[in-house]
């Protein structure tokens, strides 16, 4: 079994930056896609960014393109989401997720088997 734990959330002002981390344990992170999702109060969960097993293929939601960057270090079994130029509309609980082996990069939540507990990101002045 694979376990995921997010960290790095917090309170930032508009225009600020945060880096989220997703630490994996219990199994290898290699050969799995990683996805980042977020859910704001009263809203459905939405895909933010995703990466294939190596990071050579990535996907971004239109709302975050040019501001967020996904990366991973399989040797450290950790995924990352660098968030720059944050806006109040980015406020949400952010979740990382991992697919089974041979999963492809995508922003569909139903394609991910393993989920972290979430970390709160609040963007406010």
């Amino acid at each position: 079994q694979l376990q995921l734990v997010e960290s790095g959330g917090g309170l930032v002002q508009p225009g600020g930056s945060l880096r989220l981390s997703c630490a994996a344990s219990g199994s290898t992170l290699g050969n799995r896609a990683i996805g980042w999702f977020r859910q704001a109060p009263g809203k459905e969960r939405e895909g933010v960014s995703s990466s294939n097993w190596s990071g050579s293929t990535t996907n971004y939601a239109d709302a975050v393109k040019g501001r967020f960057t996904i990366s991973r270090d399989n040797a450290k079994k950790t995924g990352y989401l660098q968030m720059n130029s944050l806006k109040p509309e980015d406020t949400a609980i952010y979740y990382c997720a991992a697919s089974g082996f041979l999963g492809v990069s995508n922003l569909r939540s139903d394609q991910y088997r393993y989920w972290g507990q979430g970390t709160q990101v609040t963007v406010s002045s």
Side-chain angles (χ1 to χ4, degrees), residues 1-3 25-28 32 113-114:
Q1 294 286 350
L2 182 69
Q3 294 83 43
S25 62
S27 184
T28 179
R32 305 180 190 272
R113 180 176 180 180
Y114 305 97

Side-chain angles (χ1 to χ4, degrees), residues 15-18 64 66-69 82-87 90:
S17 298
L18 285 174
V64 307
R67 299 189 297 122
F68 291 10
T69 303
Q82 179 67 46
M83 305 186 296
N84 298 326
S85 301
L86 284 163
K87 305 175 181 179
D90 295 318

Side-chain angles (χ1 to χ4, degrees), residues 19 22 30 34 41 50 53 57 71 83 86 95 97 103 107 124:
R19 188 185 73 162
C22 177
I34 294 175
S50 63
W53 72 272
T57 300
S71 61
M83 305 186 296
L86 284 163
Y95 300 88
L107 298 177
S124 176

Side-chain angles (χ1 to χ4, degrees), residues 53-101:
W53 72 272
S54 68
S56 63
T57 300
T58 58
N59 295 275
Y60 296 92
D62 289 341
V64 307
K65 286 181 179 178
R67 299 189 297 122
F68 291 10
T69 303
I70 190 170
S71 61
R72 63 193 296 164
D73 187 333
N74 288 337
K76 296 182 178 180
K77 300 175 66 174
T78 304
Y80 305 94
L81 184 67
Q82 179 67 46
M83 305 186 296
N84 298 326
S85 301
L86 284 163
K87 305 175 181 179
E89 63 198 63
D90 295 318
T91 296
I93 300 175
Y94 283 71
Y95 300 88
C96 70
S99 72
F101 286 117

